[in-house]
Each structure stands twice: as C-alpha cells, then as structure tokens.
Amino acid sequence: MSNRPVRVRFAPSPTGPLHLGGVRTALYNYLFAKKYNGVFLIRLEDTDEKRFVPGAQDYIMDALKWCGIMPTEGPGLGGNFGPYIQSERKDTYRPFAEQLVKDGHAYLAFDTPEELDAMRKQASSMGMPNWQYNNITRASMKNSLTLPADEVEKRIAAEEPYTVRMKMPRNVDIRFEDEVRGWVVVNTNNIDDKILLKPTGMPTYHLANIVDDKAMEISHVIRGEEWLPSAPLHVMLYDAFGWDLPKFAHLPLVLKPDGNGKLSKRDGDRLGFPVFPTNWTTAEGEVYSGYREKGYISGGFLNMLAFLGWNPGTTQEIFSLDELCETFTLERVSKSGAKFDPDKTKWYQQQYLRSTPNEVLAKELSEILTENYGLDRLTTVCRLMKERATFVEDIWTEGSFLLEKPTSYDEKTMRKKWKNNASSLMGEWKGVMSTLSDYSAESIEGSFKDFIISKELGIGAVLPLFRLLVTGKGMGPSMFEIASFLGKEECVERISIGLDTLAVTTSQA
Ligand code: GLU
C-alpha cells in the first residue's frame, strides 16, 4: 500500500442498466475503500452522447442503494471534487488536450468521417479489414503532422471540425504493474492513435477518465478486465502529463456459467437467470428481471458477487458486508475469469433466508399475502418452513397448508402408503388425538409412538398417512410441530375431511 489516502471510484457509463459484473466492480471498490478508511465515489462517464440511455443514472444509483454499497461522493451525494458527471465537466478537458498537442504527445486530425470511411473501405478491398489510424497510417492522413503549419492555422480559423488524437510512438514497450496481474507489457505498435477530444469538444472516455482520476485524487483504479487494453494508453497519458500513476487493478471477467465467454448484458434472462441487480424496463417497455424483484436478499447477492473472482483463502463462505470489508484484499483477487453460477446464487439466497429472523420474514410474507393471518401465526409458519424455502414466497407456496386446509392429497403418497387398513388405522389415531389434553409437539409425538407400538407398525407406515390427511403432502417439516401448531380441533377436523375425501377417491380408483 502506498501512503496516499485511499480514494477509489466506480465509473459507470449510463448506457443502460448495471450488469452484475458492474455491481461486483462497485462492490470491490466499496470493500477496498472501507478496509483502508478511504473514500468510495461514483462518477458518471457520459461522454459518449450516442450511447446515452435515459434512466440509466437513476437505475445505477437505485441498484447500489439496494445492495447497500452507496458511495459517499457522487451525483446528488455531494463531495468536494464535483461535478461527478463528466458532461457537466465538459469545459475542463480541452485545455488538457491542448497541452498534449503543445507538448507533441497529440495532434489534430481533420479527416472527415467520409474520408475515414473511404480509407477503411479501400484498405478492406486490399485485404486489410481492420484499418487503424496509427503511427504508420497517420502519415497519409490529413492532420497537423502532415499538413503545413499555416494550413492547420487556416483550418482552425475557419472552424473546421477536428479531433485530437494521441500520437502513439512507434515500437515502445509500455509497462505497468497491475495489483492483480503483476507486470503488464504492451507494445505501442499494437495501439492505434486514439481520439482524445471529439469535434464537439467533448472528450472521449480515455481523456476524461485520466483527467478526472487525477482531479478526483484517485489512488487505485479498480475496474473490469475489459479495460485492460486501454490501460497502456492511460499510462502514457499520465506520463505525458507528468502525473504519478494511480495503482491499477483489473478484475477478472465474469463468465457465462459454461465458461464460454463473458456474461453480457445481452444475456438478459436468456440463460434462465437475471443478469441485472434490479428490474430494468427498456424504452420500448420490455422488462428484464432483476435479483431484487425475483426476491433475492441483497446481502446474499453481494456475498455471492464477492466470491466472483475473490476468495478469503479459508473455507468460510458466508460473510456479512462488514466481514467482507475486513477480509477483502486485492492480493486474493484471481486473474482468471470467474464463472457465474446461478445455483450458487440460489444457495446463498437460501443461507440468507435461513438466517433472517422469523419475525422479519413473517412481515415480508404478510405483505405478499392477500389474507390477514396475523403476524404471530406467520412467524411460526416461517420458522417451520424456511429451511425448505429459497424465497419468501416459497414459504407460502410450500407451507400454505399450515393456514389453509388441504384441497388435494399427494398422489404418490396415496399410491405407495394408503393400504387397505389405512382408513381404520387413521380413524383410531383420530380417536387418540381427540382425547389428548396436552397438545404440545412432544406430547403428540409421545402418543403417536405409543400408538404405533400398540399396532406393531413402523413409523414409516403410519406417519405419512397422518401427514397426508392433515397437510395433503408427502413431505414437510415435523408432523408433530405441525399438529401442535394447528391445534386439536383443526387437526381432528382435517383428519375427518381427509378420511371422507380419500374414501371416495380410493373407492373410485
Ligand atoms: N466508463 C467505464 C465503464 O463504463 C469505466 C472504466 C474505468 O473504470 O476506467 O465501465
């Protein structure tokens, strides 16, 4: 660690919703900042006007809020380094581009889009499909390096549109140390003369990113691996300005579950799971699902994301956000792509659901139910059912029998267990139940055991019948707890109704 105060940023472009890989980048920045008592800020990189999507900014802020990883500086949040939206800083960038031109690190290019297009076509027809404006081709283009100085002046005076391009030197190795990848070396021959300032006066991502990281005193640039190819240019820009480099950490790609390629925004719900933290509605009204609306608990979602490219080096898998802040280090971020695992995401959800207090789950459940069953009863329902649920709504789907009489009876259990003596046996058990004075789960269990011993039957032959009549199901939580929760009257009534219904059903079979 350097002695510089830690200031990190999440710098999304508002070109659409935040993909879960973007949330992971935000999370790692957040964890890193917290760990070193630093600042986590958000900066909106909206210099690409063509790709701007209305609503994206609000979406991003809302998603971070849901995740509980809000930055402390950013649009609408305040901070001493604002504005935090690049389009609002537009005028600050031009002097930096001009400085680069003056110092010979950049140049003006007057080629029109039509001329560039013609050049690309010509190169393509000659078998060079990927024509680039670079340290070789620039010699045959219209720019301040090839045109006489007075013509350049004339064109500027006539307000001819131009771009400012980086003048990539020929055959120079750019080296920098990445906190995740170690030393990275890229030869400038592989990098084109990137545009830094557009004819509109708007900077491109590269220039704005560097100027702002410097202005906002960013100590560590923690971002996705897709930005690694841009890093050598960024390093050159820092050098050209004579600025110290921040530390770089490029996070591994988030891959599709089969490991075949990057998990992209376009994967939407196509692979059977959401790729967005919260629902996203397109301008056309199309809705892409999000983890929040699917019923995921944000803590579990974040815990899963933390492990997507990082591990603590121990077997512990469940971490609260505070524990993650303590444990997270860039050294334990892996280089290789991290496969997204929807099953693991569900597993985390189950773990978080189980550790949510029953009272809290009951409250949430009451909000999705139309009938008022009372919070006390719902709390017990949650206690009995949450081990078998992944989402709050499963508690109802799987456990509604605790509050409503069954309307059907599990066929498989009927086929396998409902033998000839079942009706009379259950009739007798009903008799025993009606005489019980203590209706605790323990007391019912004790009587049940005495009952099967007296009948010389095993638990596996009788318990499923009891469960079937009372709950309609073949499986579930402790039958004695269920019976105790329902109470004597309800239990006995359910057995009577079940016996009547099954008598009809089995006689028809
Ligand atoms: N604006 C870039 C993005 O959309 C940020 C890259 C960076 O963090 O430097 O991800």
Side-chain angles (χ1 to χ4, degrees):
M1 286 292 299
S2 68
N3 297 327
R4 249 168 110 171
V6 167
R7 288 181 55 85
V8 292
R9 84 304 195 269
F10 177 49
S13 297
T15 55
L18 203 52
H19 164 261
L20 59 86
V23 184
R24 190 213 38 191
T25 301
L27 172 65
Y28 284 15
N29 274 285
Y30 175 92
L31 298 177
F32 189 79
K34 293 280 162 205
K35 170 145 188 159
Y36 297 106
N37 292 321
V39 170
F40 168 49
L41 64 89
I42 179 164
R43 180 175 74 227
L44 259 281
E45 300 205 324
D46 62 344
T47 57
D48 192 346
E49 300 106 317
K50 289 193 212 86
R51 295 183 62 215
F52 178 79
V53 172
Q57 178 182 339
D58 289 346
Y59 177 94
I60 293 166
M61 298 307 277
D62 182 51
L64 294 182
K65 200 162 166 195
W66 174 63
C67 292
I69 50 171
M70 270 310 258
T72 45
E73 293 177 24
L77 302 172
N80 295 332
F81 297 79
Y84 293 90
I85 300 183
Q86 287 185 328
S87 58
E88 293 175 12
R89 305 167 68 84
K90 186 179 168 193
D91 296 338
T92 57
Y93 304 109
R94 179 182 285 279
F96 290 98
E98 284 169 355
Q99 180 70 39
L100 291 173
V101 176
K102 197 165 134 272
D103 295 344
H105 297 295
Y107 60 92
L108 315 188
F110 296 94
D111 320 84
T112 64
E114 295 73 29
E115 283 166 343
L116 289 172
D117 216 37
M119 192 49 116
R120 277 190 204 101
K121 286 207 179 101
Q122 192 192 343
S124 174
S125 70
M126 290 162 67
M128 291 177 289
N130 301 320
W131 183 84
Q132 286 188 325
Y133 207 122
N134 60 21
N135 50 31
I136 295 182
T137 61
R138 70 163 86 106
S140 49
M141 305 303 291
K142 273 191 208 135
N143 52 53
S144 57
L145 303 175
T146 58
L147 299 169
D150 58 340
E151 190 179 335
V152 171
E153 288 308 320
K154 244 191 263 157
R155 284 176 184 252
I156 295 173
E159 293 188 1
E160 245 189 61
Y162 63 84
T163 56
V164 175
R165 283 185 183 266
M166 185 73 179
K167 187 178 163 196
M168 269 295 153
R170 221 174 138 55
N171 202 19
V172 173
D173 279 342
I174 309 290
R175 299 167 178 275
F176 65 95
E177 199 177 3
D178 186 274
E179 301 292 296
V180 175
R181 271 143 228 284
W183 283 98
V184 177
V185 184
V186 181
N187 189 279
T188 52
N189 287 359
N190 300 319
I191 312 174
D192 58 339
D193 287 357
K194 290 268 186 271
I195 296 178
L196 301 175
L197 197 74
K198 298 186 260 190
T200 53
M202 191 65 111
T204 57
Y205 153 71
H206 303 293
L207 179 66
N209 188 271
I210 270 47
V211 168
D212 286 348
D213 279 350
K214 169 73 180 167
M216 296 180 184
E217 296 177 10
I218 297 303
S219 59
H220 295 73
V221 170
I222 304 172
R223 62 185 173 192
E225 185 183 322
E226 58 275 31
W227 300 102
L228 189 59
S230 301
L233 169 67
H234 297 177
V235 169
M236 290 203 67
L237 281 167
Y238 279 101
D239 281 351
F241 287 123
W243 297 337
D244 285 342
L245 287 182
K247 300 255 183 215
F248 287 101
H250 288 90
L251 309 176
L253 292 179
V254 176
L255 305 174
K256 292 188 213 298
D258 63 6
N260 270 331
K262 190 178 152 190
L263 182 68
S264 83
K265 286 188 183 179
R266 283 178 300 279
D267 288 324
D269 295 297
R270 203 177 59 82
L271 300 173
F273 54 83
V275 299
F276 301 127
T278 61
N279 272 10
W280 168 254
T281 310
T282 64
E284 293 74 38
E286 216 178 326
V287 180
Y288 288 95
S289 66
Y291 284 86
R292 176 175 64 191
E293 290 77 2
K294 285 265 181 197
Y296 281 84
I297 298 168
S298 60
F301 176 66
L302 277 192
N303 199 153
M304 174 280 294
L305 285 181
F307 274 75
L308 218 49
W310 168 86
N311 72 74
T314 63
T315 50
Q316 186 181 345
E317 290 189 283
I318 305 290
F319 282 82
S320 68
L321 193 53
D322 283 346
E323 286 173 314
L324 284 173
C325 291
E326 261 167 51
T327 321
F328 181 81
T329 58
L330 287 175
E331 289 81 59
R332 297 213 65 90
V333 172
S334 69
K335 289 194 198 54
S336 45
K339 277 191 223 166
F340 176 71
D341 182 350
D343 294 333
K344 195 73 191 185
T345 312
K346 282 219 171 111
W347 179 84
Y348 271 112
Q349 165 64 18
Q350 280 162 348
Q351 305 308 310
Y352 273 73
L353 189 89
R354 281 171 202 180
S355 58
T356 305
N358 300 321
E359 295 73 20
V360 175
L361 292 177
K363 181 95 196 2
E364 285 175 28
L365 187 57
S366 72
E367 279 156 20
I368 55 177
L369 297 180
T370 43
E371 197 148 332
N372 182 2
Y373 293 100
L375 278 181
D376 279 355
R377 297 181 75 208
L378 287 182
T379 303
T380 310
V381 170
C382 291
R383 176 173 68 76
L384 290 174
M385 295 310 300
K386 71 178 179 184
E387 292 289 321
R388 292 161 189 274
T390 304
F391 300 104
V392 170
E393 62 185 38
D394 298 341
I395 295 178
W396 178 247
T397 340
E398 296 297 318
S400 58
F401 66 82
L402 288 163
L403 299 161
E404 305 281 349
K405 290 186 175 46
T407 50
S408 63
Y409 297 87
D410 183 60
E411 280 187 28
K412 199 168 142 213
T413 313
M414 266 165 66
R415 245 186 293 118
K416 283 176 109 178
K417 304 281 176 183
W418 198 261
K419 303 277 159 55
N420 288 338
N421 64 344
S423 286
S424 62
L425 192 67
M426 282 295 105
E428 272 188 63
W429 170 235
K430 185 178 93 173
V432 175
M433 300 245 316
S434 359
T435 59
L436 288 183
S437 52
D438 176 358
Y439 226 66
S440 65
E442 296 73 31
S443 150
I444 303 170
E445 184 169 3
S447 306
F448 182 80
K449 286 192 173 148
D450 293 345
F451 178 70
I452 58 170
I453 289 169
S454 74
K455 294 284 158 195
E456 295 183 355
L457 288 168
I459 199 157
V462 193
L463 193 64
L465 307 177
F466 179 28
R467 184 184 296 284
L468 187 68
L469 292 173
V470 175
T471 71
K473 307 250 178 206
M475 279 187 304
S478 156
M479 208 31 234
F480 308 112
E481 294 231 37
I482 295 173
S484 173
F485 169 73
L486 293 175
K488 179 159 44 178
E489 206 179 308
E490 176 72 12
C491 244
V492 169
E493 195 187 340
R494 285 189 183 198
I495 295 179
S496 301
I497 297 172
L499 284 173
D500 289 350
T501 316
L502 294 191
V504 176
T505 322
T506 42
S507 70
Q508 282 171 348

